[in-house]
Amino acid sequence: MENGKISTFKVAATYIGTVVGAGFASGQEMLQFFAVFGLKGFWGLIVVTVLFMVFGYIIMGIGRSLDAQSHLQIIKHSGGRFLSPLIDWLITFFLFGALTAMIAGTGALAKQQFGINPLWGNLFMAIFTALTVLTGIKGVINSISAVVPFLVTSAVGISIASIFFISPQPNTYELVSVAKPLSTSVLISNWLWAAILYVSYNIVLAISVLGPLGVQAKNKSALRNGAILGGIGLGGSAIAIYFAMERNFEIVKDMEIPMIYLAGSLSYILQIIYALVLIGEIYTTAVGSLYGFSARITDVNSNKAKFYIIGATLLALAASQLGFSNMVKYLYPIMGYGGVVLLVCLVISRFKPVKSTDGMEK
């Protein structure tokens, strides 16, 4: 992919594909971070949309100015000598956490969709993810671009259809006003903080792609418009899923994969199709997370790399027994708290000069 060839649409599509994951597609993120706050969650998603536009633009802009080839250059510029090592290791830890969540998500899907022990689903995803990374199959990460459009279309389509064709529980909003405060994670105190944490952990995991992406943009206009379009796409998709979760809150609040339930309420065929799409998204996200984690702690081309890859997979498999909804409820907010440090550093760095590789200020 040559420099200067990436259009606004491709920038936006890559941005959306980097952020969208199994937590998004399953409905758990919208349920845990926004639907639990009732209609206030909608305003949280408006904030999310704006923040995605702003931080997407900041990261890609800094990446372009630095001619960044990885997230490390952006972190060093933004965090400085003292904070950059901390942020670097936080991202590494979060990659492991994302891998764990993907393995847990497969187990939850196996139990809810097929009624089998979730451990089998965990093992299935862990084994295939490790084998993929071990054999070095090229182009797996690029397959995300093929899965994500179908995933987003499916998630939004099912969400909108559920609003029109699935009747809400009687007195849903009355019940929600009592039940929701008891359902929120202790790590998420209110709807505004939930919005900040949601953007925070997603940006932390996306920065490794967004930084170099800024270099590839056709021009600064494509970069800016791509960030705006990407933020609107992410926010709009999230709002559609949020309304589906909010409208059916009393039904889906205790489900591991609420979107699968809604798809099944519309059509069994839709349920099977959505389950397959979700598995594909989980797989690509898991492979990317395991590869990114492994590449950070060892040389993936060395002979010893396989021991790190297998070891990391086994640790993630063990940690996945905490359950997918618990991972979203507790791990994701923790990731968000750590990511707030990065967001603050990014805002501050936006107001200091950026020097390119030739030493010239931009």
Side-chain angles (χ1 to χ4, degrees), residues 263-346:
S265 298
L266 295 168
S267 165
Y268 181 71
I269 294 177
L270 282 178
Q271 186 178 45
I272 295 298
I273 292 174
Y274 197 78
L276 294 175
V277 172
L278 185 54
I279 289 174
E281 175 59 27
I282 289 173
Y283 169 71
T284 55
T285 304
V287 169
S289 298
L290 177 58
Y291 183 85
F293 177 79
S294 301
R296 183 60 190 85
I297 63 175
T298 188
D299 179 2
V300 291
N301 297 315
S302 66
N303 293 328
K304 64 180 181 179
K306 60 183 179 182
F307 297 107
Y308 287 93
I309 292 169
I310 294 173
T313 304
L314 290 174
L315 285 175
L317 177 62
S320 70
Q321 302 311 301
L322 292 172
F324 182 57
S325 60
N326 284 329
M327 295 289 292
V328 175
K329 191 172 186 177
Y330 298 107
L331 177 63
Y332 282 22
I334 290 173
M335 291 166 61
Y337 275 92
V340 167
V341 178
L342 174 60
L343 296 188
V344 172
C345 290
L346 286 170

Side-chain angles (χ1 to χ4, degrees), residues 121-166:
N122 298 149
L123 284 170
F124 170 84
M125 186 54 63
I127 291 172
F128 275 87
T129 298
L131 286 176
T132 301
V133 177
L134 283 170
T135 54
I137 297 176
K138 296 180 180 180
V140 171
I141 305 304
N142 290 334
S143 66
I144 295 176
S145 62
V147 174
V148 166
F150 188 34
L151 174 69
V152 172
T153 301
S154 301
V156 173
I158 289 172
S159 298
I160 294 174
S162 71
I163 293 172
F164 287 100
F165 298 111
I166 300 177

